[in-house]
Amino acid sequence: MAELINLVLLAMLALTALRIIFLKDLFAVIMLFGIFSFLSALIFINLDAVDVAFTEASVGAGISTVLMLGTLALTGRKEKANSHSSFLPLVVVCITGAALIYGTLDMPDFGDPDNPVHQHVAPRYIEESPKEVGLPNMVTSVLASYRGFDTLGEVVVVFAALIAVLSLLSIRKETEQDASESGLKSHHVLHVVAKLVIPLIILFALYVQFHGDFGPGGGFQAGVIAAAALILYALVFGLPNAFAVIGAKFLYCMASAGVLLYASVGLFSMYKGGNFLDYNKIAAEPLAGQHYGIIIIELGVGITVFAVMLSIFYAFSSQTARSNIK
Amino acid sequence: MLEQHLAALPILIPLLAAPITFILGRSWFTWLFATSTSALACFFSWHLLAAALSDGVLSYALGGWPPPWGIELRVDTANAFVLLAVSTLSTLVLVYAKDSIEKEIEASKHSLFYTAHLLCLAGLSGMLLTGDAFNLFVFLEVSSLATYTLVSLASDRRCLTAAFRYLVMGTIGATFILIGVGMLYMMTGTLNMLDLASRIDVYESSRTINTGMAFIIVGVSIKLALFPLHMWLPPAYTYAPSAVSAFLASTATKVAVYVMIRFIFTVFEVEHVFEEMRMDLILMVLAIVAIFKSSYTAIVQSNVKTVLAYSSVAQIGYMILGLSLVSVTGLMASFIHIFNHALMKGALFMAVGAVFYRVGSVDIKAFRGLGKQMPLTMAAFTIAGLSIIGVPLTVGFISKWYLVTAALEQNHWVIAALVLAGSLLAVVYIGRVIEAAYFQEPTESQAHNKIKEVPWLMLTPMWVLVLANIYFGVDTSLTTEAANAASEWLFQNTEMATTRQEVIK
Amino acid sequence: MLFLDVISSILLISGVFFGLSGAIGIFKFPDFFTRIHAASITDSIATILIVGGLLLQTSFDLNTVKLIFILVFLMITSPTASHALAKSARHGGLLTMAEAKEKKQEKTG
Amino acid sequence: MNLWQNVEPSQLITLSILVPLIGALLVILTGKIPNLREAITLVTATILFSIVLAITDFTFQGEDMHIQVIELFPGLDISFEVEPLGVLFALVASFLWIITSIYAIGYMRGHNEQNQTRFFCCFALAISSVMAICFSGNLLTLFIFYEVLTFSTYPLVTHAGNDAAKKGGRIYLGILLSTSIAFLLLAVLGTYSLTGTLDFRAGGIFDDSHNKVILGGLLVLFCYGIGKAAIMPFHRWLPAAMVAPTPVSALLHAVAVVKAGVFSILKIVIYIFGLEELKTLATTDIMLYIGAATILLSSCIAMTKDNLKARLAYSTVSQLSYIVVGALLASSVASAGAALHIATHAVGKITLFFCAGAIMVASHKKNISEMVGLGRKMPITMVAFAIGAISIIGLPPMAGTWSKWYLTIGALEADKLFIVATLMVSSLLNIAYLLPIPIKAFFNTSSGEQKPWSWADTKEAPLPMLIALSVTSLACFVLFFYPQPLIDLINLIPGVSTEVEMTNNLNGDG
Amino acid sequence: MNFILDHYNYWITIILMMAGFYIVISANNLVKKIVGLNVFQVSVFLLYITMGKVSGGTAPIVVDGATQYSNPLPHVLILTAIVVGVATTAVGLALIVRIKGAYGTVEENEFKDQDDAI
Amino acid sequence: MTTVFAVVCIAILVVMAIALARAFIAPTVYDRIIGINMFGTKTVLFIAAVGFLMGRPEFLDIAIVYALINFIGMVAVLRFFEDTTPVK
């Protein structure tokens, strides 16, 4: 059954990708890309990667699509006819593809429990992590503890993206008159519904944040979902109103604070005599230490991701608003 | 306590300093803070190199989890040596940047510049020190994103398209590395480089491993701008702010070269990569073509920063050539050139940036008559240029010496001759600039403007590098010792290296 | 238990039926406004039936809450989205089939 | 005689390199006061000469002098060592520096040149690197200072700063740098990778175990790599460099630079290849032919030149190849001749250049065709010119006789008759292009009406110049009658001897 | 047949990768390039997740009664990679917005022409 | 019961496929959006059903995310139209 679903979903995914190549309407391309992300997330679920699916759905289909649409609003919808030859790219692609196909010939069978991947390193995560780290969600254990440094790097990447976007697009506060102009002002139903839905979303974000140790989710997903709530607010009620809720300056501080919060856990464990990010040393009991450590770093991740995603949206959105007013 | 964490500090210091710099906002204190943290990182990297030279290997298990379950920082002479170059250059460039970016970057973005610079430094240090293949990818992206930011900060609009091209190529490269690492992981179940190395043996003839290796090598080649995958580099270096060009040209590609070396020598068996896959031939040919094609392109450019950028591509050719010779001396030549090239290109780009600071253009016409007007800057350019050419008593000579020695060791006379012939092209493109500076009359408009020497804060780091060019060209004990230790270390346990050495002797 | 299973099966199957019929609708119906109607069928009744069917399978724990949350959320957002979309289409100048016909007649007539 | 008794002999080497450097520094410092500046130049030159004399003294006493400065590569130092050939060259260069300094003072003032401080400074730097080349203890040191010499003389070549000077400078630097990087460095590295050492060793460091083909290749690389030896087709820089002020041409392009080139070749042939090894190489003959061709061709070109300095330049190209040929004949006598020719050609050619400069300062004439009748007005200069010319041609009683003599004997000894023939023909050509100049200057009166210029206000050049050219022309005489000290010195070189009978004994009488 | 079924996932993944890769290098429009980049990256994620799957296994969250879990490590890696991907996308899009502002176009050949014209 | 879930899953997959087809080939852009919106809501149901099919109903969290994102996506699309449609 799972195989069948897998087959069908993969086929749909491939079709979507191929369709994207030939579409000239960029709006449709982006819509299809949203579907592409959704579909791939479905496949991730089907392949047991629930955390990944969670992230892909919220990031790929959510944030990326919103940002792409924001860009498209500024750059125009139609792709112009491609004048230069597509022969060389095709050759390059074929060569790369051939190399990959060649590589697959020796690949271990799909889903075979005897594959080398499942023999080394991973068994310890599966067998020991509930005891060593004390969390039922192994992905969170590995993410936050065993490979906590990767996750620190990931948070820094997000932070770096903020720096990059800010250096390119400056967020400008609009004046009061503009406030009435922007937003979906004519959609009254939407206004009511949004007011109803946004608290629910934030509630859900908090749930994801603190339930991530036990089920799918965690700081990153929670941050994105919380940011999505405010993005919704900004979309419906206009950017100036969103600024009134959370200002850009405050977001910058949050973004930095999240990274520093994460790192401070590491520094604290250094102070306690352990290595960087060694949660065992944080509290008297190693398990308790792990628990505190993971909660705090997940919080750090959540704060940074929320702040960064929202700031990036602000940056794009304030460009759109300005161009529209011009 | 610091001794214990020595391996982690060069990454952590800039990593933590970056968000603080961001909050600090726009003030001279931001500059001071960023510079001093970078200097601190530099200080620790000196210690790290000393420790690596005396102890061999330092392993630092992050999170207290032993490798391969946790992420390991693994410092040996090879990466400590490159790290030293990177952190030193970073510090010098930051000192230089204060005045330089006043001119080139609008004031509201200064703190972003410092933040991105520190992030880039952290990313590069992370790439160097980590012993985990996936962690390397993460830090690669940290440094790449920071780099795109830095490139796009310039005021010329062409920097945007350059940064975009860089972003697309860089991401393709990073994704290729990701595919490669995935394939390795698929066949071994581990991500720790040493562990990978020990487990790849079992599956040596697997097609999947070979494909993974090919993808990693191609991906890294994009990042290090190996011909013909270098097309992103010249525009990026040309249109980036001067301080950024100086930093990137002297560090970013070098770190990628290091990654290439690390993968080939530590993760894959040298024997496998070079004797069975014959990667050395491919790399050798590409390196030679890179040297000549890029040097030639450099000659016909009129923008001096483009000239230097193409020169960088050519110089990368030398580094790859050394590595493709598959001998201790060859690898040593690569390492020495990584270090030395950082010194020369840093100084050259700083000098060009100084010219931009005063004249407002980096076209070769703008250099006319500057020999009299900006004597210190042009003297710095001349000496660093001589170093690129490979004149004795500069570091360039040392690099070339080892490279040619390595080629001759294996009786590759043609390659040795080509290497030297390649440096003749450098004579031409450096000579054009020097000639313009000293022997041509300034243009009408420039003659009227009184062009002064740049502020001492820009001159100091430039001359520190120039003096380093001479110092390390005369006293080679540090570079030689470190590079030799690094390459011998990398060749350790590989039978092939020993047999080759025997054949040579 | 069996009784609940039977009821939930019936709910699920009928939900699926509405879903399929709506899906056929969005292909077969002639213009945008009729198609949005077909889509709304699947969004409302099919959702209610399927989620309802699933609800009966839970043992009234956190999952039940989540399912109800999904249901409420979809019930609020889907019609809103459809409404807003239709409105936007109107605003963007899209005409119904009848209007288009009228306009055509006006032009020719 | 020896002022430097109290100094450790080995330290004299350091002194000989440092003294000109300090002089250069002082010249910069005193740049504002021309008299003091030039006094410093002269004093420095004199001190240097005395040091070299002291070194010569120690050499005759058989003192072993060597120092190591710094280890550049593991097992490879920058090191200096005194050996007779280097002493010979150092003697010539340091002696002529004094003379040239005197001459330069007159010339630079008489000609109102710009940037005199830079000129004297670079001059001293160049001498310093020449000293380092003379006493270099291994090939690496030789190579490094060879490059330093190139760079330190570049500002001198482009001294005038006009387009012609820039063009000349570009050719000068381009050829010298290219050849040295592309060929010489490769040859040095090749030698190193073959033998594992770069030390100069009596009898050479190569032996029969090395691949002859590679050694042959190395020889070619060395000959062409040392572009300063101006073997065709890499001779173009030498005429190009004649845009420099005459003292520069005189000292650097008759003595220091070009002689550094041929000196290097001689040193490499003697101490790296070894004369015995050289005989077995196939390319020796090839290079010999090329050297012979250079001698003849450049003499022919010289005849077509009307510009006096250009003619002298091509004459130099030709004379340099004498030394190269002498080195490549691989006979001890020919090598001795080559070594002696370094000295004799230096004094001869520098006299000619001095005269050319004197004519330029006094009458502003550059072309030979305009010098008709000049002898009346500038008798001292033209007499000196005649002496120099005869010395170059190799006629007694001038110094050039001896070196040509030994070269010819060497060629005979090596059984290379075509070289003998070449030397003879070349001498005839020398006569053809050099002697007409003084002859026209003194004896041509028939064309009195035709000349569009008058010598009315022309008089002898400034006194310092006259002193200088008199001294050098005198030296041409003296070296004919008392060549023995130099010959003794040359006989100290291992494997080189002026005695034909001794050729079988490789160690000569040193 | 078994061989095909065992590798079906990989092959689809490769097709996707190549589709994405093709869009990146052939597209003239920068927005489409970024979309292609995303497709390319997502397919790499798929490769990783595929290799982490164990037949008969279940999601790596401890539940009673489950004996076989899928490999959690690729999931962790891909979580990181997704974040990296969205970061890159955001930067790329920001660059596009600026390029549009500076050149008035986001078609690669058009701004290249403008640059060459200078 | 598993059979019923299986049938439901497959049926929803079919609906999704049809919606996808609508999104691929659409006469107007609004039709495309209908297809996409429908695809989104059906995905939510699909995830919920698959969770039950596989016996891991905690996947419902992801279904919620899908619902949220789908809605936000729709609003973003509307906003896009609002921004790009010239103000009359």
Side-chain angles (χ1 to χ4, degrees), chain D residues 285-507:
Chain D
D285 278 347
I286 298 174
M287 291 313 296
L288 214 48
Y289 290 126
I290 295 175
T294 307
I295 294 176
L296 296 178
L297 278 176
S298 53
S299 297
C300 295
I301 297 172
M303 269 192 285
T304 67
K305 296 287 175 189
D306 190 35
N307 183 309
L308 179 55
K309 275 174 80 178
R311 185 174 287 195
L312 292 180
Y314 275 102
S315 159
T316 308
V317 174
S318 143
Q319 298 288 320
L320 288 176
S321 283
Y322 276 46
I323 300 171
V324 175
V325 164
L328 291 173
L329 278 170
S331 102
S332 63
V333 182
S335 301
L340 194 59
H341 201 65
I342 290 180
T344 55
H345 174 248
V347 286
K349 190 51 69 62
I350 204 168
T351 310
L352 295 182
F353 271 112
F354 281 172
C355 296
I359 293 168
M360 196 143 87
V361 169
S363 69
H364 308 290
K365 291 287 178 288
K366 288 179 181 172
N367 291 338
I368 296 161
S369 52
E370 298 167 338
M371 293 175 188
V372 175
L374 195 59
R376 307 272 166 80
K377 293 289 178 183
M378 301 177 71
I380 304 175
T381 310
M382 287 324 285
V383 166
F385 192 96
I387 293 173
I390 293 169
S391 179
I392 293 294
I393 293 160
L395 295 175
M398 300 301 161
T401 322
W402 287 118
S403 50
K404 282 214 172 162
W405 171 256
Y406 285 124
L407 280 172
T408 317
I409 291 184
L412 285 170
E413 187 199 40
D415 215 14
K416 297 276 196 305
L417 284 178
F418 75 94
I419 295 294
V420 181
T422 308
L423 292 175
M424 292 305 134
V425 173
S426 159
S427 292
L428 291 178
L429 287 170
N430 286 348
I431 294 173
Y433 67 76
L434 281 178
L435 276 189
I437 300 165
I439 290 174
K440 271 188 193 163
F442 282 114
F443 305 114
N444 194 340
T445 50
S446 61
S447 56
E449 278 79 25
Q450 291 161 9
K451 59 182 179 189
W453 61 87
S454 88
W455 299 115
D457 49 355
T458 304
K459 54 182 188 299
E460 276 289 4
L463 186 64
M465 301 172 77
L466 287 184
I467 295 174
L469 57 87
S470 312
V471 170
T472 52
S473 52
L474 208 62
C476 292
F477 268 118
V478 171
L479 279 182
F480 178 76
F481 294 109
Y482 299 103
Q484 206 49 48
L486 290 185
I487 291 174
D488 286 347
L489 196 59
I490 288 166
N491 281 332
L492 287 177
I493 305 170
V496 174
S497 166
T498 47
E499 305 293 322
V500 183
E501 300 81 36
M502 299 294 285
T503 46
N504 292 334
N505 179 358
L506 277 179
N507 288 323

Side-chain angles (χ1 to χ4, degrees), chain A residues 166-168, chain B residues 26 97-117 149-156 159 239-245 356-357, chain E residues 98:
Chain A
L166 286 183
S167 72
L168 289 163
Chain B
R26 181 197 328 167
K98 185 172 186 298
D99 287 309
S100 172
I101 64 169
E102 273 320 310
K103 198 95 174 179
E104 298 181 36
I105 300 175
E106 54 183 280
S108 61
K109 290 179 179 170
H110 285 180
S111 72
L112 291 172
F113 166 81
Y114 292 120
T115 315
H117 183 99
T149 316
L150 289 170
V151 171
S152 66
L153 276 171
S155 46
D156 189 326
C159 80
Y239 301 115
S242 311
V244 175
S245 307
F356 186 80
Y357 184 81
Chain E
R98 281 290 301 280

Side-chain angles (χ1 to χ4, degrees), chain A residues 153-214:
Chain A
E154 168 191 331
V155 177
V156 174
V157 168
V158 173
F159 180 74
L162 171 68
I163 300 297
V165 171
L166 286 183
S167 72
L168 289 163
L169 313 172
S170 44
I171 300 179
R172 289 197 198 155
K173 249 187 162 172
E174 282 143 74
T175 51
E176 284 300 312
Q177 300 98 293
D178 301 333
S180 57
E181 290 292 320
S182 60
L184 292 161
K185 60 182 191 317
S186 59
H187 291 261
H188 297 293
V189 180
L190 214 51
H191 281 218
V192 178
V193 170
K195 273 180 192 157
L196 207 66
V197 166
I198 288 168
L200 285 179
I201 301 180
I202 292 177
L203 192 69
F204 182 63
L206 288 174
Y207 164 78
V208 172
Q209 170 78 52
F210 294 107
H211 193 258
D213 310 348
F214 308 101

Side-chain angles (χ1 to χ4, degrees), chain B residues 9 27 35 42 165 183 243 255 277 328 351 408 437 479 484:
Chain B
L9 288 174
S27 68
T35 312
C42 178
R165 187 188 285 190
M183 288 185 158
V255 175
M277 303 286 287
V328 173
L408 290 179
T479 44
N484 191 33

